[in-house]
Amino acid sequence: MRVGEGREREDVVAGGGRVALLDVNRATGEALAARLGDRATFIETDVTSEAAVNAAVTAASQALGGLNVTVNCAGVGWPKRLVGKDGTMPGEFFRKVIEINLVGTLLVCKAAAAEMQKNAPNADGE
């Protein structure tokens, strides 16, 4: 979960749940986890790194005693013109946006789904 967005984390904690906050911004993540109390933990994670995401999801599952829900909202969207006064937009700029917004989303979803497959089935076998 991106630490700077949404109220999902507060809703989960207020409802008695536990949350793991995954983000690259350590200072903000640790401050939010502290504000949410002992039902929250922060794990510094670069969502563009598959190894980092896998390790973070495993650590989150261990810290929380399992994983049941993932709210995946990491993303960036810096405005930039394709062609401006300073020339053309560097392709690397667009690649970074895609890596965070698209690839990062996929990596977190698949790591979380793999972790959730370890959960015991409910009464309906799911």
Side-chain angles (χ1 to χ4, degrees):
M1 170 179 298
R2 180 124 177 106
V3 297
E5 301 175 15
R7 292 200 38 88
E8 295 87 359
R9 62 196 177 264
E10 287 93 350
D11 295 344
V12 170
V13 170
R18 301 186 59 182
V19 297
L21 309 166
L22 282 56
D23 201 323
V24 295
N25 188 328
R26 176 178 288 281
T28 302
E30 288 177 345
L32 180 56
R35 192 181 91 213
L36 291 172
D38 63 354
R39 301 189 70 72
T41 188
F42 171 72
I43 303 166
E44 187 173 5
T45 311
D46 174 359
V47 297
T48 67
S49 165
E50 187 166 7
V53 168
N54 290 342
V57 169
T58 298
S61 182
Q62 291 170 347
L64 302 174
L67 189 63
N68 297 309
V69 174
T70 298
V71 176
N72 193 351
C73 52
V76 296
W78 307 291
K80 194 140 185 109
R81 294 176 187 236
L82 292 176
V83 179
K85 299 186 273 191
D86 300 326
T88 60
M89 175 185 71
E92 204 47 46
F93 174 85
F94 185 70
R95 283 186 208 290
K96 182 171 180 103
V97 172
I98 294 301
E99 283 289 320
I100 294 168
N101 295 2
L102 184 60
V103 176
T105 297
L106 171 88
L107 295 177
V108 172
C109 286
K110 83 180 182 81
E115 192 66 34
M116 287 181 210
Q117 281 188 318
K118 299 174 186 175
N119 295 344
N122 64 15
D124 296 325
E126 295 182 1

